[in-house]
């Protein structure tokens, strides 16, 4: 049997300096949707996430609260894992940079780059931004502050090791030129090209002024720079480079590397598209196929971040909830996931407000999807006791698989239109997912949902129910609606796992047996046994909600 194609997707590994806010969940929700989508499409998927636990900032924060760095990160990492579990994030591995499997391999990576002649000892003199863990030269600073985050930088002068990054400038430019797909969107690629052309400096890759890090293997008293440590996670988690020699140690590396995509926020594209490929070039390992930079969620026009929240002095009457746990407790996991995937355009920044989220939930989830399900199951229960057979008239030759056939065989033009739209949706979703257009993939599915609701309004099942002679037609209409919802339940499965299951339960379908190809067949179920259940997305009274948020 042919081996399944593999798909390796990663998120950045998050700093456990504080609990995550909704901005952080954005990337992980997209990665999860893509991983689930690829699994559903038959790929053997490896989805990696984790935490980036070393560095001066974490050490400082831990000291401030009187913890050891390890005690501190253990607590925050437990919360992060709990958050991902509540959000049903389907990662295959979670790597912590404090784990032995990672530390030993990072030391091996350092040693190999050193042996390749790309690391030398020198003195670092320049500026350091502790929150970003970034080094800057005088000319790179903006108004004497960190050019990335605008915060204070500190003067640093230390004996340190350097990586010969400057030697890789031409190879990096050639990489972007020959493989433009390596770095997207294009705006980021242009930005990085300009950055490299301004002149790449060698990179300081060790620190001696604090000790919360992985020790440099060739000298005591130095720890490895956190970005070198962190970027390595994408291969150390796969068991590479080998340090144990245990059987199967690098099986995952053989199987999944190079990664198909590193999904990262725009401010860390620089590390992933310059430092990381240069490290891999020095090591002689294959490069990832793609680095994809997404935009930020903004609050009041600035990047949503802990410090932003503190200074924003939020409007009490319309407080924005940015704690994902609170958002989920109030509105459910799928409401948050749907909003993040539907509202924002990949690569661009977008404003975050709780109000916009609630409006989306009301219009798309409560009104469109929730109503379609409750109307369909409700009418089915009422008119047919929940049991409805596949209408022979429409499906005399069995299930329909093409839009053309649907239009040909349909007894009513509106049936043909609905069925054709349902059958075409999967291919459109595939195309949008190929280019990471999560919002357009969902839009496509919602076109089907809206068309189905319109189909109810057009066919008026309640009118058909009044006449005995229209009973057969009533059955056809309700069967078509159930089929349409079944297809919706397959299509939304990667994004709204919980809703997909609930819809399938109410339709009387097996929730564990979702197969992508089933979305390309209309007339699949010989019969339905539906049962109207809980309202998936009760409508939220936004004014009352804000009053309750203000109290809470
Ligand atoms: N630890 C590094 C990543 C190392 S990867 C080898 C790091 N951590 S972070 O916790 O500061 O950020 C992790 C990710 O969260 C980044 O991709 C960042 O862009 C993303 N986000 C943080 N705030 C965000 C928003 N407001 N909106 C969208 N994404 C945001 O950087």
């Amino acid at each position: 049997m042919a081996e399944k194609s593999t798909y390796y997707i990663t998120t950045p590994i998050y700093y456990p300096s504080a609990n995550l806010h909704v901005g952080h969940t954005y990337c992980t929700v997209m990665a999860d949707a893509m991983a689930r989508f690829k699994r559903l499409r038959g790929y053997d998927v490896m989805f990696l996430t984790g935490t980036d636990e070393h560095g001066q900032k974490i050490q400082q924060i831990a000291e401030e609260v009187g913890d050891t760095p390890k005690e501190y990160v253990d607590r925050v990492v437990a919360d992060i894992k709990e958050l991902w579990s509540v959000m049903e994030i389907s990662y295959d591995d979670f790597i912590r940079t404090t784990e032995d499997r990672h530390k030993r391999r990072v030391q091996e990576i350092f040693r190999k780059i050193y042996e390749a002649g790309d690391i030398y000892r020198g003195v670092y003199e320049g500026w350091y931004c502790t929150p970003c863990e970034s080094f800057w030269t005088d000319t790179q600073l903006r108004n004497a502050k960190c050019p990335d985050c605008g915060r204070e930088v500190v003067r640093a002068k230390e004996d340190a090791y350097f990586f010969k990054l400057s030697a890789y400038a031409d190879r990096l430019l050639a990489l972007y030129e020959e493989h433009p797909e390596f770095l997207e969107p294009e705006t980021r690629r242009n930005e990085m090209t300009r950055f490299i052309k301004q002149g790449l400096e060698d990179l300081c890759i060790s620190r001696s002024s604090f000790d919360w890090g992985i020790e440099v293997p060739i000298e005591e008293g130095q720890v490895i720079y956190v970005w070198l440590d962190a970027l390595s996670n994408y291969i150390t988690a796969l068991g590479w480079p080998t340090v144990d020699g245990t059987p199967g140690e690098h099986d995952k590396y053989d199987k999944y590397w190079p990664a198909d995509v590193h999904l990262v926020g725009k401010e860390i594209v620089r590390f992933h598209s310059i430092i990381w490929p240069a490290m891999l070039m020095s090591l002689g390992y294959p490069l990832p196929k793609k680095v994809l930079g997404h935009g930020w969620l903004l609050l009041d026009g600035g990047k949503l971040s802990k410090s932003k929240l503190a200074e924003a002095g939020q409007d009490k009457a319309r407080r924005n909830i940015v704690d994902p746990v609170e958002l989920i407790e109030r509105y459910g996991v799928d409401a948050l996931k749907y909003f993040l995937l539907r509202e924002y355009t990949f690569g661009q920044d977008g404003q975050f407000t709780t109000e916009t989220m609630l409006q989306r939930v009301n219009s798309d989830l409560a009104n469109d999807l929730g109503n379609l399900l409750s109307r369909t199951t409700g009418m089915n229960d009422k008119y047919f006791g929940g049991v409805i057979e596949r209408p022979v008239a429409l499906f005399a030759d069995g299930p329909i698989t093409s839009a053309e056939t649907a239009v040909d065989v349909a007894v009513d033009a509106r049936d043909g239109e609905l069925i054709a739209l349902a059958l075409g949706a999967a291919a459109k979703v595939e195309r949008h997912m190929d280019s990471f257009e999560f919002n357009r993939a969902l839009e496509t599915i919602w076109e089907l949902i809206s068309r189905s609701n319109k189909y109810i309004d057009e066919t008026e099942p309640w009118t058909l129910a009044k006449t005995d002679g229209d009973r057969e037609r009533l059955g056809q209409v309700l069967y078509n609606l159930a089929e349409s919802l079944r297809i919706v339940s397959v299509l939304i499965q990667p994004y709204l796992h919980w809703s997909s299951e609930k819809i399938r339960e109410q339709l009387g379908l097996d929730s564990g047996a979702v197969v992508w190809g089933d979305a390309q067949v209309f007339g699949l179920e010989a019969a339905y046994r539906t049962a109207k259940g809980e309202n998936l997305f009760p409508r939220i009274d936004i004014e009352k909600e804000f009053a309750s948020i203000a109290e809470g």
Side-chain angles (χ1 to χ4, degrees), residues 236 241 494:
T236 62

PDB file of all heavy atoms in Angstrom, residues 236 241 494:
ATOM      1  N   THR A 236      14.567  19.255  16.998  1.00  0.00           N
ATOM      2  CA  THR A 236      14.866  18.434  18.197  1.00  0.00           C
ATOM      3  C   THR A 236      13.645  17.588  18.561  1.00  0.00           C
ATOM      4  O   THR A 236      13.792  16.451  19.012  1.00  0.00           O
ATOM      5  CB  THR A 236      15.272  19.297  19.410  1.00  0.00           C
ATOM      6  OG1 THR A 236      14.186  20.160  19.761  1.00  0.00           O
ATOM      7  CG2 THR A 236      16.527  20.106  19.144  1.00  0.00           C
ATOM      8  N   PRO A 241      19.385  16.581  15.914  1.00  0.00           N
ATOM      9  CA  PRO A 241      20.326  15.518  15.565  1.00  0.00           C
ATOM     10  C   PRO A 241      20.357  14.436  16.649  1.00  0.00           C
ATOM     11  O   PRO A 241      19.948  14.689  17.781  1.00  0.00           O
ATOM     12  CB  PRO A 241      21.666  16.252  15.480  1.00  0.00           C
ATOM     13  CG  PRO A 241      21.491  17.511  16.264  1.00  0.00           C
ATOM     14  CD  PRO A 241      20.047  17.853  16.264  1.00  0.00           C
ATOM     15  N   PRO A 494     -12.858  20.465  10.425  1.00  0.00           N
ATOM     16  CA  PRO A 494     -11.515  20.931  10.822  1.00  0.00           C
ATOM     17  C   PRO A 494     -11.525  22.210  11.657  1.00  0.00           C
ATOM     18  O   PRO A 494     -10.598  22.463  12.405  1.00  0.00           O
ATOM     19  CB  PRO A 494     -10.816  21.208   9.485  1.00  0.00           C
ATOM     20  CG  PRO A 494     -11.629  20.537   8.442  1.00  0.00           C
ATOM     21  CD  PRO A 494     -13.025  20.495   8.960  1.00  0.00           C
TER      22      PRO A 494
END
